[in-house]
Amino acid sequence: MAKILIVGGAGYIGSHMVMSLVLRGDSVFVLDNLSSGHLDAVWPGAEFIHGSLADRDLLTRLFNEHQFDAVMHFAACIEVGESVKHPSKYYHNNVEATLTLLDVMVAHGVNKFIFSSTAAVFGEPQYTPIDEAHPKQPVNPYGRSKWMVEQILQDFDHAYGLKSACLRYFNAAGAEPGGRLGERHDPETHLIPLVLQAAAGIRPDIKVFGQDYDTEDGTCIRDYIHVVDLCDAHALALDQLLAGGECAQYNLGNGNGFSVRQVIETAQQVVGREIPMVNAPRRAGDPAVLIADSHRAKSVLGWQPQYDDLAVIIEHAWQYIRSQAG
Ligand code: UDP
């Protein structure tokens, strides 16, 4: 049983991670400022601390009190559009606050770190599927903030022996199959929850951003990965670090691309009704195709996604939306 601090454990992916580690018997502590997370998403059995990872004094007290075996970091701002408008917020929250956390870890001799990174570190794809060696040329402050932390982590390994795993998510989606946790962003910007909100009548329609991309049906293609599969990869990466593993980066997706139209059509089959869709202009900064090559996670970590069927991913997200609607 390991003692793990999960920063951002009240958010979408973090809350699924907390659940998974609590259920396997780890001792889990959650630090979250609830700026976008939800207290009721923190799985029972985890100890909750309300606060910010930018608060050096709070972190110092926490690390004085507990000898953590590892830290997992899910607390970040994640909206590309907002990052273009407010880069300062992104560099403070995603880079500076993370640096504060890393400093406190080093000062307390905690040297294992799992970091939520993103496909946005690659920028416009130069080839597809995207493997870990693909050039990193992020095209917005969000992607740059994550790439900066990845580089900081390499330097912290060399200088302080801090071992980290950077997990680069493609399109996280779905929800734990029991309908108890799910995606609850405010405002919601992600395709699958928006499509399902349109299906549930919570919003009038789903807007399809761009119809003239260089893809078969003209809409963007993405690689959707189930949040439970993402968390499985984190748990494996954590175990590898706990066993003395070296720093590593992993791209996480299913290796299958689905267009925006295919997602909407699959959702219509899952929910059994028409979902009103409206053509809208392209959204700035969207590459036409983003698909992961996840061979490294499979061969090095032994990761095997269980829910690689898009209909199942959407079904689980739908169960959650219905459970929320009461
Ligand atoms: N998208 C869309 N309508 C929406 C939200 C998203 O057409 O209301 C498209 C978006 O342009 C992208 C894909 O759906 O091509 C996935 O977007 P999302 O924001 O879910 O994830 P991202 O790929 O930006 O990480």
Side-chain angles (χ1 to χ4, degrees):
M1 169 170 130
K3 193 169 193 176
I4 311 292
L5 175 64
I6 301 188
V7 184
Y12 170 43
I13 301 171
S15 63
H16 284 80
M17 193 74 239
V18 172
M19 172 184 150
S20 146
L21 293 190
V22 168
L23 292 181
R24 79 174 199 177
D26 285 325
S27 166
V28 179
F29 291 73
V30 172
L31 175 68
D32 200 301
N33 65 2
L34 299 180
S35 61
S36 55
H38 305 273
L39 188 54
D40 62 8
V42 176
W43 198 258
E47 185 161 322
F48 179 72
I49 300 118
H50 187 206
S52 161
L53 76 158
D55 184 342
R56 193 179 287 266
D57 294 340
L58 171 69
L59 289 176
T60 300
R61 283 200 304 276
L62 193 58
F63 279 73
N64 280 340
E65 213 173 304
H66 301 281
Q67 185 58 46
F68 296 114
D69 295 302
V71 177
M72 306 180 94
H73 179 15
F74 296 90
C77 302
I78 57 162
E79 280 176 50
V80 169
E82 186 191 42
S83 80
V84 175
K85 282 199 198 114
H86 303 294
S88 173
K89 174 175 174 185
Y90 277 67
Y91 293 122
H92 282 294
N93 285 349
N94 292 3
V95 182
E96 189 192 3
T98 303
L99 188 56
T100 303
L101 172 64
L102 294 174
D103 283 346
V104 175
M105 285 178 64
V106 169
H108 289 80
V110 179
N111 67 351
K112 294 172 178 55
F113 188 66
I114 304 282
F115 180 59
S116 293
S117 190
T118 167
V121 300
F122 298 110
E124 192 64 38
Q126 296 180 15
Y127 57 84
T128 195
I130 298 177
D131 60 11
E132 289 79 5
H134 186 286
K136 286 52 164 202
Q137 288 166 356
V139 292
N140 51 60
Y142 168 63
R144 273 191 282 277
S145 72
K146 292 285 183 175
W147 178 230
M148 284 177 192
V149 173
E150 286 204 21
Q151 291 173 291
I152 289 170
L153 288 170
Q154 289 173 22
D155 292 337
F156 270 51
D157 178 26
H158 295 142
Y160 313 122
L162 187 132
K163 302 298 173 193
S164 59
C166 297
L167 304 184
R168 300 175 182 143
Y169 314 157
F170 281 63
N171 287 65
E176 65 87 18
R180 292 158 296 186
L181 297 175
E183 195 166 1
R184 251 196 290 173
H185 295 117
D186 187 18
E188 188 53 75
T189 61
H190 293 117
L191 180 64
I192 290 178
L194 288 174
V195 168
L196 295 176
Q197 287 177 6
I202 297 168
R203 43 183 88 231
D205 52 42
I206 179 70
K207 302 202 168 32
V208 177
F209 295 151
Q211 299 77 44
D212 57 352
Y213 285 98
D214 187 13
T215 60
E216 204 160 303
D217 66 18
T219 65
C220 286
I221 291 179
R222 293 289 180 273
D223 183 344
Y224 295 89
I225 173 168
H226 198 292
V227 62
V228 169
D229 288 330
L230 267 185
C231 290
D232 285 350
H234 286 69
L236 291 165
L238 172 67
D239 289 342
Q240 185 145 91
L241 288 186
L242 291 173
E246 288 298 320
C247 286
Q249 300 78 36
Y250 301 98
N251 291 359
L252 295 176
N254 283 311
N256 298 320
F258 292 94
S259 72
V260 172
R261 262 186 216 292
Q262 285 174 318
V263 169
I264 297 170
E265 280 158 14
T266 307
Q268 291 186 148
Q269 284 159 17
V270 168
V271 305
R273 67 184 80 141
E274 283 278 308
I275 300 174
M277 69 177 122
V278 172
N279 286 342
R282 284 184 179 206
R283 191 174 66 176
D286 271 340
V289 179
L290 280 177
I291 298 174
D293 177 336
S294 298
H295 282 96
R296 182 186 283 177
K298 288 178 180 159
S299 63
V300 175
L301 299 176
W303 178 61
Q304 196 50 56
Q306 312 170 52
Y307 302 115
D308 56 358
D309 178 344
L310 180 64
V312 172
I313 294 175
I314 293 175
E315 171 67 37
H316 291 168
W318 182 233
Q319 278 168 17
Y320 179 68
I321 289 202
R322 277 183 309 179
S323 77
Q324 287 294 102

